[in-house]
PDB file of all heavy atoms in Angstrom:
ATOM      1  N   GLY A 413       2.184 -18.556 -25.802  1.00  0.00           N
ATOM      2  CA  GLY A 413       1.258 -19.666 -25.680  1.00  0.00           C
ATOM      3  C   GLY A 413       1.578 -20.628 -24.564  1.00  0.00           C
ATOM      4  O   GLY A 413       0.697 -21.350 -24.105  1.00  0.00           O
ATOM      5  N   GLN A 414       2.819 -20.680 -24.106  1.00  0.00           N
ATOM      6  CA  GLN A 414       3.198 -21.565 -23.009  1.00  0.00           C
ATOM      7  C   GLN A 414       3.081 -20.830 -21.669  1.00  0.00           C
ATOM      8  O   GLN A 414       3.046 -19.600 -21.615  1.00  0.00           O
ATOM      9  CB  GLN A 414       4.627 -22.084 -23.198  1.00  0.00           C
ATOM     10  CG  GLN A 414       4.791 -23.083 -24.327  1.00  0.00           C
ATOM     11  CD  GLN A 414       4.867 -22.397 -25.684  1.00  0.00           C
ATOM     12  OE1 GLN A 414       5.151 -21.204 -25.768  1.00  0.00           O
ATOM     13  NE2 GLN A 414       4.617 -23.151 -26.741  1.00  0.00           N
ATOM     14  N   ASN A 415       3.067 -21.614 -20.595  1.00  0.00           N
ATOM     15  CA  ASN A 415       2.910 -21.050 -19.257  1.00  0.00           C
ATOM     16  C   ASN A 415       4.259 -20.834 -18.571  1.00  0.00           C
ATOM     17  O   ASN A 415       5.263 -21.468 -18.899  1.00  0.00           O
ATOM     18  CB  ASN A 415       2.055 -21.965 -18.387  1.00  0.00           C
ATOM     19  CG  ASN A 415       0.611 -21.991 -18.836  1.00  0.00           C
ATOM     20  OD1 ASN A 415       0.140 -21.057 -19.489  1.00  0.00           O
ATOM     21  ND2 ASN A 415      -0.096 -23.057 -18.492  1.00  0.00           N
ATOM     22  N   LEU A 416       4.220 -19.952 -17.583  1.00  0.00           N
ATOM     23  CA  LEU A 416       5.339 -19.736 -16.667  1.00  0.00           C
ATOM     24  C   LEU A 416       4.877 -20.110 -15.265  1.00  0.00           C
ATOM     25  O   LEU A 416       3.698 -19.932 -14.931  1.00  0.00           O
ATOM     26  CB  LEU A 416       5.789 -18.276 -16.678  1.00  0.00           C
ATOM     27  CG  LEU A 416       6.315 -17.701 -17.995  1.00  0.00           C
ATOM     28  CD1 LEU A 416       6.532 -16.193 -17.859  1.00  0.00           C
ATOM     29  CD2 LEU A 416       7.613 -18.387 -18.393  1.00  0.00           C
ATOM     30  N   THR A 417       5.800 -20.579 -14.443  1.00  0.00           N
ATOM     31  CA  THR A 417       5.475 -20.950 -13.065  1.00  0.00           C
ATOM     32  C   THR A 417       6.298 -20.110 -12.100  1.00  0.00           C
ATOM     33  O   THR A 417       7.524 -20.008 -12.228  1.00  0.00           O
ATOM     34  CB  THR A 417       5.765 -22.442 -12.805  1.00  0.00           C
ATOM     35  OG1 THR A 417       4.994 -23.231 -13.718  1.00  0.00           O
ATOM     36  CG2 THR A 417       5.394 -22.820 -11.375  1.00  0.00           C
ATOM     37  N   ILE A 418       5.613 -19.506 -11.132  1.00  0.00           N
ATOM     38  CA  ILE A 418       6.274 -18.691 -10.111  1.00  0.00           C
ATOM     39  C   ILE A 418       6.606 -19.564  -8.905  1.00  0.00           C
ATOM     40  O   ILE A 418       5.762 -20.335  -8.424  1.00  0.00           O
ATOM     41  CB  ILE A 418       5.372 -17.516  -9.681  1.00  0.00           C
ATOM     42  CG1 ILE A 418       5.070 -16.601 -10.871  1.00  0.00           C
ATOM     43  CG2 ILE A 418       6.019 -16.728  -8.547  1.00  0.00           C
ATOM     44  CD1 ILE A 418       6.292 -15.948 -11.481  1.00  0.00           C
ATOM     45  N   THR A 419       7.837 -19.443  -8.439  1.00  0.00           N
ATOM     46  CA  THR A 419       8.269 -20.163  -7.240  1.00  0.00           C
ATOM     47  C   THR A 419       8.881 -19.168  -6.263  1.00  0.00           C
ATOM     48  O   THR A 419       9.657 -18.292  -6.669  1.00  0.00           O
ATOM     49  CB  THR A 419       9.323 -21.237  -7.582  1.00  0.00           C
ATOM     50  OG1 THR A 419       8.775 -22.140  -8.540  1.00  0.00           O
ATOM     51  CG2 THR A 419       9.731 -22.020  -6.335  1.00  0.00           C
ATOM     52  N   TYR A 420       8.518 -19.315  -5.007  1.00  0.00           N
ATOM     53  CA  TYR A 420       9.143 -18.512  -3.948  1.00  0.00           C
ATOM     54  C   TYR A 420       9.871 -19.468  -3.017  1.00  0.00           C
ATOM     55  O   TYR A 420       9.262 -20.303  -2.355  1.00  0.00           O
ATOM     56  CB  TYR A 420       8.097 -17.705  -3.179  1.00  0.00           C
ATOM     57  CG  TYR A 420       8.712 -16.688  -2.231  1.00  0.00           C
ATOM     58  CD1 TYR A 420       9.159 -15.458  -2.698  1.00  0.00           C
ATOM     59  CD2 TYR A 420       8.857 -16.976  -0.881  1.00  0.00           C
ATOM     60  CE1 TYR A 420       9.723 -14.534  -1.850  1.00  0.00           C
ATOM     61  CE2 TYR A 420       9.432 -16.062  -0.016  1.00  0.00           C
ATOM     62  CZ  TYR A 420       9.857 -14.844  -0.512  1.00  0.00           C
ATOM     63  OH  TYR A 420      10.441 -13.928   0.330  1.00  0.00           O
ATOM     64  N   ALA A 421      11.203 -19.375  -2.997  1.00  0.00           N
ATOM     65  CA  ALA A 421      12.010 -20.295  -2.187  1.00  0.00           C
ATOM     66  C   ALA A 421      13.270 -19.586  -1.725  1.00  0.00           C
ATOM     67  O   ALA A 421      13.839 -18.763  -2.456  1.00  0.00           O
ATOM     68  CB  ALA A 421      12.379 -21.538  -2.995  1.00  0.00           C
ATOM     69  N   SER A 422      13.713 -19.930  -0.519  1.00  0.00           N
ATOM     70  CA  SER A 422      14.954 -19.363   0.053  1.00  0.00           C
ATOM     71  C   SER A 422      14.962 -17.835  -0.036  1.00  0.00           C
ATOM     72  O   SER A 422      15.969 -17.209  -0.388  1.00  0.00           O
ATOM     73  CB  SER A 422      16.183 -19.939  -0.674  1.00  0.00           C
ATOM     74  OG  SER A 422      16.238 -21.333  -0.522  1.00  0.00           O
ATOM     75  N   ASN A 423      13.803 -17.252   0.261  1.00  0.00           N
ATOM     76  CA  ASN A 423      13.658 -15.801   0.290  1.00  0.00           C
ATOM     77  C   ASN A 423      13.923 -15.154  -1.065  1.00  0.00           C
ATOM     78  O   ASN A 423      14.322 -13.990  -1.142  1.00  0.00           O
ATOM     79  CB  ASN A 423      14.585 -15.177   1.347  1.00  0.00           C
ATOM     80  CG  ASN A 423      14.088 -13.826   1.829  1.00  0.00           C
ATOM     81  OD1 ASN A 423      12.872 -13.604   1.891  1.00  0.00           O
ATOM     82  ND2 ASN A 423      14.998 -12.929   2.148  1.00  0.00           N
ATOM     83  N   SER A 424      13.734 -15.903  -2.140  1.00  0.00           N
ATOM     84  CA  SER A 424      13.920 -15.384  -3.488  1.00  0.00           C
ATOM     85  C   SER A 424      12.728 -15.748  -4.357  1.00  0.00           C
ATOM     86  O   SER A 424      12.059 -16.756  -4.131  1.00  0.00           O
ATOM     87  CB  SER A 424      15.204 -15.936  -4.119  1.00  0.00           C
ATOM     88  OG  SER A 424      16.349 -15.461  -3.445  1.00  0.00           O
ATOM     89  N   LEU A 425      12.497 -14.914  -5.364  1.00  0.00           N
ATOM     90  CA  LEU A 425      11.415 -15.131  -6.314  1.00  0.00           C
ATOM     91  C   LEU A 425      11.997 -15.679  -7.610  1.00  0.00           C
ATOM     92  O   LEU A 425      13.005 -15.171  -8.121  1.00  0.00           O
ATOM     93  CB  LEU A 425      10.684 -13.817  -6.571  1.00  0.00           C
ATOM     94  CG  LEU A 425       9.398 -13.864  -7.392  1.00  0.00           C
ATOM     95  CD1 LEU A 425       8.298 -14.621  -6.641  1.00  0.00           C
ATOM     96  CD2 LEU A 425       8.927 -12.443  -7.707  1.00  0.00           C
ATOM     97  N   PHE A 426      11.363 -16.722  -8.150  1.00  0.00           N
ATOM     98  CA  PHE A 426      11.816 -17.343  -9.391  1.00  0.00           C
ATOM     99  C   PHE A 426      10.656 -17.415 -10.368  1.00  0.00           C
ATOM    100  O   PHE A 426       9.489 -17.576  -9.967  1.00  0.00           O
ATOM    101  CB  PHE A 426      12.344 -18.768  -9.137  1.00  0.00           C
ATOM    102  CG  PHE A 426      13.559 -18.834  -8.259  1.00  0.00           C
ATOM    103  CD1 PHE A 426      13.424 -18.876  -6.869  1.00  0.00           C
ATOM    104  CD2 PHE A 426      14.841 -18.875  -8.801  1.00  0.00           C
ATOM    105  CE1 PHE A 426      14.534 -18.950  -6.045  1.00  0.00           C
ATOM    106  CE2 PHE A 426      15.960 -18.955  -7.992  1.00  0.00           C
ATOM    107  CZ  PHE A 426      15.816 -18.985  -6.605  1.00  0.00           C
TER     108      PHE A 426
END
Side-chain angles (χ1 to χ4, degrees):
Q414 289 80 19
N415 291 337
L416 298 172
T417 301
I418 299 298
T419 302
Y420 190 81
S422 299
N423 204 33
S424 294
L425 188 66
F426 296 86

